[in-house]
Amino acid sequence: SQQGEEDPQALSIQEGENATMNCSYKTSINNLQWYRQNSGRGLVHLILIRSNEREKHSGRLRVTLDTSKKSSSLLITASRAADTASYFCARYTGTASKLTFGTGTRLQVTL
Amino acid sequence: SQTIHQWPATLVQPVGSPLSLECTVEGTSNPNLYWYRQAAGRGLQLLFYSVGIGQISSEVPQNLSASRPQDRQFILSSKKLLLSDSGFYLCAWSVTGNQPQHFGDGTRLSIL
């Protein structure tokens, strides 16, 4: 079963606005990863944040991790129509060679 | 550079027919390999993963099976498809279990 949820399930914003997606989980993690999926395509890795890190940046992406609250957030600044996609968080717990994916947030960026 | 190939892109099969989906990785050795299924508008369900040739871990008991006959080849099979097997099947690889996964473009499977 899926561990954790993403919030919101869907988000609609206008181009230029910021988009924030949240990911909560229940068990301890070794690292947490964010992925993007365009409609009908495979997932693309965006950022990996380790359990001892609190924040990471990559271009217009900012990821935060709060292990005490068992939550992470992905911020996309100055969104573009091309950012329209589903975004998933995935947790690596260290107990097996696999990731556990969240349910995803569908982001729609309109002109 | 590393690439992952997954085929076919689309497949329509009758109930009760067999299935074979193939995934191959190029440009790396001894990758971890993964098969996922994704229902429409939903998250990913891990079906099988493999950390080496002949080593298969099954996550969900079902009428699907997986095999890894070669280091960079991962095959998803079924002897008899069910309607519930419809979905979007994704193959992925990673260097190790804690590293980012790299996905193929998926196979959309429809069962009639």
Side-chain angles (χ1 to χ4, degrees), chain A residues 5-43:
Chain A
E5 297 291 335
E6 281 158 80
D7 169 55
Q9 290 187 337
L11 180 61
S12 183
I13 60 174
Q14 290 191 320
E15 205 171 45
E17 295 180 334
N18 295 343
T20 299
M21 289 158 268
N22 303 295
C23 169
S24 62
Y25 55 92
K26 297 178 182 178
T27 59
S28 297
I29 61 168
N30 178 285
N31 70 51
L32 186 142
Q33 303 174 28
W34 285 90
Y35 290 79
R36 165 195 170 123
Q37 183 182 32
N38 284 26
S39 181
R41 303 298 300 274
L43 280 71

Side-chain angles (χ1 to χ4, degrees), chain A residues 2 30-31 33 35 37 39-45 48 50 88 92 96-99 101-104 106, chain B residues 32 34 36 38 41-46 49 51 59 88 90 97-106 108:
Chain A
Q2 303 276 1
N30 178 285
N31 70 51
Q33 303 174 28
Y35 290 79
Q37 183 182 32
S39 181
R41 303 298 300 274
L43 280 71
V44 175
H45 177 259
L48 180 153
R50 295 180 176 79
F88 295 88
Y92 177 70
S97 297
K98 61 181 181 178
L99 300 177
F101 281 83
T103 51
R106 294 186 303 278
Chain B
N32 284 8
Y34 305 86
Y36 293 90
Q38 184 178 33
R42 303 292 297 277
L44 274 69
Q45 179 186 38
L46 179 62
Y49 69 96
V51 299
E59 291 293 295
F88 190 48
L90 289 159
N98 63 341
Q99 291 300 303
Q101 293 185 9
H102 308 278
F103 285 78
D105 283 333
R108 188 159 305 281

Side-chain angles (χ1 to χ4, degrees), chain B residues 13-70:
Chain B
Q13 293 284 96
V15 170
S17 63
L19 173 73
S20 180
L21 300 181
E22 189 163 341
C23 172
T24 60
V25 180
E26 295 177 358
T28 188
S29 296
N30 196 32
N32 284 8
L33 296 170
Y34 305 86
W35 276 113
Y36 293 90
R37 179 168 59 202
Q38 184 178 33
R42 303 292 297 277
L44 274 69
Q45 179 186 38
L46 179 62
L47 302 175
F48 302 94
Y49 69 96
S50 171
V51 299
I53 295 176
Q55 300 178 61
I56 308 293
S57 296
S58 175
E59 291 293 295
V60 182
Q62 57 205 332
N63 70 321
L64 297 172
S65 63
S67 63
R68 185 171 177 173
Q70 300 180 43

